[in-house]
Amino acid sequence: MRHFLNISDWSALEMEALLNQAVYLKLEWQNGGNRPVLGGKILAMIFQKPSLRTRVSFQVAMKHLGGDAIYLGPDEIGLGKRESIPDVARVLSGYVQGIMARVFAQDHLMQLAQWASVPVINGLSDDSHPCQAFADMLTLYEHFGALRGLKMAYVGDSNNVTFSLGEAAARYGVELRIASPQGYQLSAEQVAHLRNMGLALTLTEDPRAAVEGVDCIYTDTWTSMGQEAEAEVRRQIFPPYQVNADLVRLAAKHVVVMHCLPAHRGEEITDDVADGAHSLIFQQAANRLHAQKAILVRLLSH
Ligand code: CP
Ligand code: NVA
């Protein structure tokens, strides 16, 4: 049984095929609609955290492909509380053809995948956000026409999005520089894992050094879901890592600015940059739909 839990589970060749599939499905949709290749198939969507993009784009993707999706919010199934994860996985497998889950612990995704007899898709965990990173590569590919050799700087908190961007960058030959303050960097284990995947990775605490000459600057919230109690402390630490016009000026002239959203305008990104000529943030958000269609077709149509 194939799942989409981490990009590193998928080879570079598979990720290339997935990208081509996403480009194809987007074109097909723009030319009048997708064929109903997932006709009659249902996706269960488990959310232990809030969501706008992930929830809506998966639901719309299933509809466009002829199937349907069911939203299961934090109060509905009590994953691992009202009912054990192995039981939830086996019960859902009797009703639906795929499970998408947004959870806290990555291990909960692993357990779902272990016990489900249908594919499981990672819709974000504390550790990773592979659907986001894959959609971001689609956006960069559309913008630049190729991915290999692009230079990306991630500025801010090294979080779930950073880690999955690193995996995606490794698979597509993108060079990654990460600028994060001490205490908010990827773990030594994550860094070793990304370098083992072949990622050209530079780590620094200096955002200005990181963005010098890059093709893309990427940032995300300073406080991820589940870390709300640390928000005040983080607000004191992260201001030097704000993506603003001064920072953008140090990158290549053609630089694009990316953010997975939701944005905390005035914190990790300023309004002028988020809404400015370099910003790809809404194209990124839109591409979640097309990227995830490719994942769904690949996993659910067999
Ligand atoms: N980027 C992203 O995953 O957004 P949501 O949290 O709204 O799903
Ligand atoms: N790092 C953020 C991403 C939200 C899509 C979080 O986990 O809250």
Side-chain angles (χ1 to χ4, degrees):
M1 177 65 52
R2 216 57 212 285
H3 305 287
F4 193 76
L5 301 181
N6 270 319
I7 286 172
S8 50
D9 302 335
W10 291 52
S11 70
L13 264 180
E14 288 175 316
M15 289 308 294
E16 192 185 322
L18 207 60
L19 188 70
N20 291 334
Q21 177 90 323
V23 170
Y24 171 81
L25 288 165
K26 182 167 181 178
L27 201 65
E28 184 183 61
W29 177 71
Q30 287 170 333
N31 287 336
N34 295 120
R35 285 171 302 128
V37 290
L38 298 185
K41 309 242 166 153
I42 310 286
L43 180 76
M45 306 192 297
I46 299 174
F47 281 93
Q48 293 192 296
K49 299 175 179 177
S51 170
L52 171 64
R53 281 145 291 272
T54 305
R55 177 187 174 169
V56 178
S57 57
F58 266 107
Q59 185 149 0
V60 171
M62 285 303 293
K63 294 255 185 199
H64 283 179
L65 294 165
D68 214 336
I70 298 172
Y71 172 78
L72 299 162
D75 299 333
E76 280 159 297
I77 55 174
L79 190 69
K81 293 191 180 100
R82 179 171 182 265
E83 197 156 2
S84 79
I85 294 175
D87 285 2
V88 170
R90 285 176 289 183
V91 169
L92 282 177
S93 298
Y95 302 139
V96 300
Q97 287 67 49
I99 299 170
M100 192 282 298
R102 168 167 288 194
V103 299
F104 289 92
Q106 179 88 13
D107 176 60
H108 291 175
L109 286 168
M110 302 300 186
Q111 285 185 46
L112 277 173
Q114 186 188 335
W115 290 95
S117 51
V118 298
V120 176
I121 298 170
N122 177 355
L124 180 147
S125 76
D126 289 347
D127 296 347
S128 59
H129 199 1
C131 293
Q132 180 69 52
F134 171 52
D136 295 337
M137 292 296 147
L138 171 63
T139 304
L140 281 172
Y141 177 75
E142 287 177 339
H143 186 85
F144 289 107
L147 291 172
R148 190 155 294 279
L150 286 180
K151 292 185 178 59
M152 173 188 277
Y154 179 92
V155 177
D157 180 34
S158 287
N159 59 21
N160 43 10
V161 170
T162 325
F163 176 71
S164 288
L165 274 177
E167 289 204 332
R171 285 293 185 251
Y172 293 113
V174 173
E175 186 186 319
L176 183 63
R177 306 175 192 170
I178 302 177
S180 301
Q182 254 183 37
Y184 298 90
Q185 297 162 347
L186 293 180
S187 69
E189 197 185 5
Q190 287 175 315
V191 169
H193 165 83
L194 292 174
R195 289 200 167 125
N196 275 340
M197 285 180 75
L199 178 65
L201 176 64
T202 310
L203 302 169
T204 175
E205 285 174 48
D206 181 357
R208 298 173 74 83
V211 302
E212 204 188 317
V214 294
D215 306 296
C216 171
I217 299 176
Y218 199 116
T219 191
D220 184 18
T221 181
W222 295 337
T223 303
S224 286
M225 292 179 277
Q227 300 172 331
E228 289 78 7
E230 300 172 28
E232 246 340 288
V233 173
R234 287 166 175 266
R235 250 183 230 118
Q236 307 302 315
I237 292 170
F238 278 99
Y241 294 82
Q242 182 184 68
V243 175
N244 54 33
D246 279 346
L247 195 72
V248 171
R249 221 169 280 128
L250 303 174
K253 272 204 169 59
H254 62 254
V255 69
V256 295
V257 175
M258 299 180 83
H259 189 312
C260 59
L261 304 180
H264 304 78
R265 289 160 174 266
E267 293 191 8
E268 76 273 5
I269 193 164
T270 53
D271 278 330
D272 57 330
V273 170
D275 299 325
H278 297 287
S279 174
L280 289 187
I281 63 177
F282 295 109
Q283 188 180 331
Q284 266 183 276
N287 273 338
R288 293 289 301 279
L289 174 65
H290 310 293
Q292 287 156 198
K293 277 182 187 173
I295 297 167
L296 289 166
V297 169
R298 172 70 181 76
L299 290 179
L300 269 58
S301 67
H302 301 294

